[in-house]
Amino acid sequence: MDTNTTGDGMLARAAAYLELHGRLIDRLRFAALFAGGQARPVLDALRCYRNADGGFGNALEPDLRGAASQPEPVEVAFHILDELDAFADPMVPPACDYLLSVTAGDGGVPFVLPSVRGMARAPWWETGDDPPGNLVPTASIVALLHKHRVRHPWLEPATGFCWTRIAAVERTTPYEARAVVAFLEQAPDRERAEAEFARLRPAILDTVALDPDASGEAHFPLDFAPSPLRLPLFDAGLLDRHLDALAAAQSPEGGWNGNWTMWTPLVEHEWGGYVTVERLKTLRAYGRLNA
């Protein structure tokens, strides 16, 4: 048997890749999730990305290089807490306080705040002077808080914002569609969530690259469903084809990376470590990795 194609071989190659290319936090995530390590070092590393306002910055989201807090790095932080089942950590309430402090009048947090203009960043992180709330990242953050049954004054108005915005969606974009799927997957009102999903499923699927060999900045089924969904978005055969393609896409060095523009050399390494851990999580969630 070729050990490079087994779970053990895949993990060994990923570990080598992360040792050479990954940030400390992503090496620690790998250790905690796949190598018998502990959650505490990951949480300690995550605290280094926090700011005094309770938010996160400091390039936790690699394309936002500045120190200042932004809504999107809060989502990244919450995804890390989710994978560790660590939403009882004391970082969570101050992060929600931060979200409340930057919430727009419509109840959602903006895609990015005007303070981004003072920091190095990828060219797509742009905004006007008074940005409205956006489903990206509001819906994804709300989804994670509902999943872990967090209670905070920010959550109810933000949930209402998501329902209002989703009800107005007819056509969508890949990142918005992914946020909508995350929200509908976790929303407590299941009847309403299932009704909106049934209405929006064709529009969501229009944003998905169903061909595993699609090139460019494609959004594949496993980007929408990094773990099995309760919502019937994709059939098992389609997911199997994409899982095969994902396993085969591990580089000779042992990693995976994003298919979007790597606009400065450092982010290619930082995203590579983060994405590698995410891909391994997906393969394990679907039973393709025994770890």
Side-chain angles (χ1 to χ4, degrees):
M1 178 182 292
D2 181 358
T3 59
N4 282 338
T5 63
T6 67
D8 288 345
M10 186 177 290
L11 285 172
R13 292 164 62 202
Y17 173 85
L18 285 160
E19 186 175 6
L20 286 174
H21 300 288
R23 299 179 295 181
L24 175 61
I25 191 168
D26 294 318
R27 298 198 303 273
L28 293 172
R29 292 171 64 216
F30 175 86
L33 295 171
F34 300 103
Q38 300 299 310
R40 177 64 181 271
V42 185
L43 298 173
D44 288 343
L46 183 59
R47 282 182 236 285
C48 295
Y49 293 91
R50 291 182 72 225
N51 289 315
D53 59 12
F56 290 82
N58 304 292
L60 180 59
E61 205 283 7
D63 289 330
L64 289 167
R65 306 302 305 170
S69 298
Q70 290 283 342
E72 179 56 33
V74 175
E75 181 190 349
V76 176
F78 281 5
H79 278 297
I80 293 171
L81 294 173
D82 174 57
E83 72 191 16
L84 300 171
D85 194 20
F87 265 76
D89 190 274
M91 284 186 280
V92 173
C96 292
D97 291 344
Y98 163 74
L99 294 171
L100 188 60
S101 76
V102 299
T103 294
D106 54 18
V109 293
F111 171 65
V112 67
L113 301 171
S115 58
V116 77
R117 297 169 188 160
M119 65 177 70
R121 64 197 186 279
W124 47 86
W125 289 107
E126 300 290 348
T127 186
D129 292 336
D130 188 22
N134 198 303
L135 286 170
V136 180
T138 307
S140 300
I141 294 172
V142 167
L144 288 167
L145 292 173
H146 280 305
K147 178 180 179 181
H148 292 276
R149 300 184 179 182
V150 173
R151 300 184 68 179
H152 188 275
W154 180 76
L155 185 55
E156 185 176 352
T159 301
F161 164 85
C162 292
W163 283 125
T164 299
R165 284 296 180 91
I166 289 170
V169 171
E170 295 182 2
R171 301 182 65 182
T172 186
T173 61
Y175 284 111
E176 181 181 77
R178 288 165 61 172
V180 168
V181 170
F183 175 84
L184 295 179
E185 180 75 0
Q186 300 296 338
D189 187 341
R190 299 312 304 157
E191 183 177 357
R192 188 174 183 181
E194 289 165 12
E196 285 289 20
F197 174 76
R199 180 180 70 84
L200 287 172
R201 186 173 185 270
I204 292 168
L205 290 175
D206 281 345
T207 73
V208 183
L210 300 179
D211 179 358
D213 297 320
S215 59
E217 194 174 330
H219 296 251
F220 297 104
L222 295 171
D223 296 319
F224 293 77
S227 60
L229 298 174
R230 52 181 163 179
L231 296 171
L233 188 56
F234 306 112
D235 65 50
L238 178 67
L239 289 171
D240 281 342
R241 290 195 298 276
H242 281 267
L243 287 162
D244 290 342
L246 180 61
Q250 187 179 23
S251 72
E253 293 80 14
W256 289 261
N257 213 325
N259 60 355
W260 56 90
T261 301
M262 298 296 159
W263 55 280
T264 190
L266 181 61
V267 302
E268 184 170 4
H269 292 289
E270 294 192 350
W271 275 125
Y274 183 83
V275 171
T276 294
V277 176
E278 293 298 306
R279 298 301 182 247
L280 292 171
K281 286 165 53 183
T282 291
L283 290 166
R284 181 170 64 181
Y286 285 95
R288 297 297 190 95
L289 186 65
N290 295 320

